Amino acid sequence: MVDLTQKTQENVEYMIEAIKTKLRMATGAAMSASAFHVDRYEDILEVYEIVMSKERLSISEVEALAKELGQLRGN
């Protein structure tokens, strides 16, 4: 089990990969986990918790989450 209380780049990458898998993102390859930085850890953790708490997500939820991830990605 991953300890997500630790703000590490490895945990950021773990959460992004888990989110991409759960959302079955077709553009997952374009959204590299390494493009997300630990300084946005709390925001990424919040998205991760939302995604993992739901058994199914509607298309509009997936779109909204993908948009949020896009905003959290580093430049």
Side-chain angles (χ1 to χ4, degrees), residues 4-65:
L4 295 179
T5 63
Q6 302 299 312
K7 295 181 183 180
T8 65
Q9 187 62 33
E10 291 79 18
N11 282 348
V12 168
E13 293 178 13
Y14 170 83
M15 289 187 290
I16 296 300
E17 290 302 324
I19 291 167
K20 287 177 6 184
T21 299
K22 179 93 176 200
L23 298 182
R24 296 185 196 107
M25 294 180 69
T27 59
M31 194 168 289
S32 172
S34 62
F36 293 84
H37 301 290
V38 75
D39 61 334
R40 300 305 302 266
Y41 193 88
E42 289 86 5
D43 297 321
I44 295 166
L45 180 60
E46 185 177 334
V47 172
Y48 172 82
E49 289 173 342
I50 291 167
V51 170
M52 295 304 148
S53 71
K54 295 183 175 265
E55 183 149 335
R56 295 178 191 218
L57 294 155
S58 69
I59 291 171
S60 60
E61 287 174 314
V62 171
E63 289 173 350
L65 290 164

